[in-house]
Amino acid sequence: MATESGVKEKKSRNIIFRICGWFKATALELKKVTWPKFGEVMKKLGIVLGVVIFFFIALFIMDIILGMGHGALTGADAWWQFWS
């Protein structure tokens, strides 16, 4: 019994040391990271937002056109009458 208890305690301590070691290694790696400057982040954010807005508008227009085509083929009411 004494040896089993010692083995279990050693395993649990080993796991705790491994977890602590992982956190220490992660902290050391994060210190090595070169974080971007605020201006660089804002430039890239502007590019991302511009691309997202462009594709939003393009897909919105395609949705309207395809919806109108579908309505013409099926004889359904116009899409704007659905909302009223």
Side-chain angles (χ1 to χ4, degrees):
M1 286 274 186
T3 57
E4 288 182 21
S5 164
V7 170
K8 286 182 184 178
E9 184 178 317
K10 192 172 189 177
K11 281 185 180 181
S12 66
R13 280 190 11 209
N14 188 20
I15 290 172
I16 292 171
F17 285 133
R18 286 174 47 199
I19 291 171
C20 289
W22 181 82
F23 278 113
K24 287 179 184 178
T26 302
L28 287 174
E29 286 297 320
L30 284 174
K31 287 181 182 179
K32 295 178 187 177
V33 173
T34 54
W35 298 100
K37 302 289 183 208
F38 183 75
E40 185 180 349
V41 172
M42 287 296 115
K43 283 182 188 175
K44 292 185 181 191
L45 176 66
I47 292 170
V48 168
L49 288 177
V51 169
V52 167
I53 290 170
F54 170 77
F55 278 104
F56 171 77
I57 292 170
L59 289 173
F60 183 72
I61 291 170
M62 287 184 353
D63 182 46
I64 289 174
I65 292 170
L66 291 174
M68 291 169 74
H70 177 265
L73 289 174
T74 60
D77 290 336
W79 64 272
W80 58 84
Q81 292 176 351
F82 173 77
W83 296 105
S84 57

